[in-house]
Amino acid sequence: SNNVRRGRIMRASLDGRNPRQMRQGLDKPRAIVLYKPTRMMYWTDWGTTPKIARGRLDNNYNVDTIVTGQLKWPNGLVIDAASQKLFWADAGMDKIEYSNLDGHGRSELLSAPHVRHPFSLAILNNRLFWSDWETSGIHSVDKDTGGDMMTVAKGLDRPTAFVIFKATPPVGPSRNCPDPGNPAKGDRNPPPTDGSSDYPQGSMIRYTCYPHYNLHGPVTRTCLADGSWSAKAPECLSPPRFRQTPTNVTVKETSSAILECSASTPNTNITWYKDGNVVK
């Protein structure tokens, strides 16, 4: 948490106990974001010289100012781990910008009239979300291009912080899928674990066939929430091989001939040709 009046950043246990000072002597600290892979803390400052700074969580003294200039009220701050980019929203400049995690490569993603008074930021997949006081809503854009703007919510009274998450269905023991078994001439992996005869919801199995057999159907199947498997079970079939080779037969004019052949797999389509043309 930050304490604007005292110019410091504090930390505590999740229940609020054991408060500890992380940074002091700041002007007007605002947004905070942590990046655990490097144990770095980033924050914005609304002070006389607006800026974005960072420092290590295990070092209370060294502070690096990584972004200055063309800042007024830097509000929201978020890190996109996928692209290794730092995004911030400035309510005084009415724009959203981004840079590398060291502050280099600064670029503008979106500005007025699309951004009016941004407050907080969040990222989910390829979408960047922000709350906006002037539009009384929450909006999103493609975080890589700044295009495809969408309004997620509207009619809100000065929206501030918000959280984005991806909901997943609950996994329960009553929604397991029965073991579909191996296909004839093939395997399914992995087999059920712990001596069980079924698979937990969300499990995925992969099918393979023995040598000289081809898989007909899906390679993988997933255990669904209703306890059934996705898609139809595949089959392992051998490629067509003629058991009887057709032979040439000479017949007299106006006489008829019966052409016969067989294949080792069912439902095999066979096409006959005469002089390079299909015999119908």
Side-chain angles (χ1 to χ4, degrees):
S1 67
N2 62 50
N3 190 316
V4 176
R5 288 182 299 176
R6 296 187 178 183
R8 60 183 182 177
I9 297 175
M10 305 288 293
R11 66 179 294 181
S13 304
L14 294 180
D15 59 6
R17 294 183 296 179
N18 304 316
R20 173 187 168 189
Q21 181 174 278
M22 295 294 295
R23 292 291 187 278
Q24 62 178 343
L26 307 179
D27 199 345
K28 294 181 178 180
R30 188 67 172 179
I32 302 172
V33 65
L34 305 180
Y35 189 54
K36 295 199 304 184
T38 57
R39 296 190 56 78
M40 297 293 290
M41 177 172 64
Y42 293 75
W43 67 91
T44 64
D45 197 306
W46 269 24
T48 305
T49 304
K51 61 187 176 183
I52 300 175
R54 70 175 182 176
R56 291 188 59 84
L57 291 173
D58 53 7
N59 187 319
N60 294 342
Y61 303 101
N62 293 338
V63 174
D64 296 326
T65 298
I66 60 174
V67 179
T68 57
Q70 296 299 306
L71 293 174
K72 189 174 181 180
W73 297 336
N75 269 338
L77 194 63
V78 68
I79 289 177
D80 178 37
S83 64
Q84 295 286 286
K85 299 295 184 183
L86 176 70
F87 291 80
W88 65 90
D90 194 314
M93 306 296 290
D94 295 336
K95 61 182 178 181
I96 297 173
E97 296 183 87
Y98 65 91
S99 72
N100 298 328
L101 296 184
D102 59 4
H104 293 114
R106 180 178 179 179
S107 298
E108 180 181 298
L109 181 71
L110 203 65
S111 60
H114 307 291
V115 180
R116 303 289 294 278
H117 191 113
F119 192 94
S120 186
L121 296 177
I123 287 177
L124 178 64
N125 298 330
N126 70 322
R127 304 293 297 183
L128 174 76
F129 298 79
W130 76 95
S131 57
D132 197 302
W133 281 16
E134 289 292 327
T135 65
S136 300
I138 297 176
H139 314 277
S140 76
V141 293
D142 187 301
K143 67 180 176 63
D144 298 318
T145 66
D148 188 25
M149 179 175 170
M150 299 171 54
T151 296
V152 178
K154 56 185 178 180
L156 307 177
D157 183 18
R158 302 182 77 179
T160 54
F162 62 96
V163 176
I164 298 291
F165 66 94
K166 184 176 181 180
T168 56
V171 177
S174 61
R175 297 183 180 273
N176 289 357
C177 294
D179 182 5
N182 294 328
K185 309 299 182 182
D187 290 315
R188 56 87 182 89
N189 285 292
T193 58
D194 301 328
S196 174
S197 61
D198 52 21
Y199 291 79
Q201 176 189 338
S203 299
M204 177 181 291
I205 55 175
R206 180 176 295 273
Y207 290 90
T208 57
C209 293
Y210 297 162
H212 309 301
Y213 288 86
N214 296 332
L215 186 69
H216 291 256
V219 177
T220 62
R221 299 173 75 196
T222 302
C223 178
L224 304 178
D226 61 359
S228 65
W229 288 100
S230 63
K232 183 181 178 181
E235 297 179 280
C236 291
L237 303 176
S238 63
R241 292 184 179 87
F242 290 115
R243 293 196 185 98
Q244 299 176 6
T245 304
T247 58
N248 292 327
V249 177
T250 301
V251 296
K252 296 180 180 180
E253 188 177 353
T254 72
S255 298
S256 61
I258 299 176
L259 306 179
E260 296 180 344
C261 70
S262 63
S264 59
T265 55
N267 302 319
T268 301
N269 294 322
I270 298 174
T271 303
W272 289 95
Y273 293 86
K274 178 183 179 181
D275 300 328
N277 299 317
V278 176
V279 177
K280 296 182 180 181

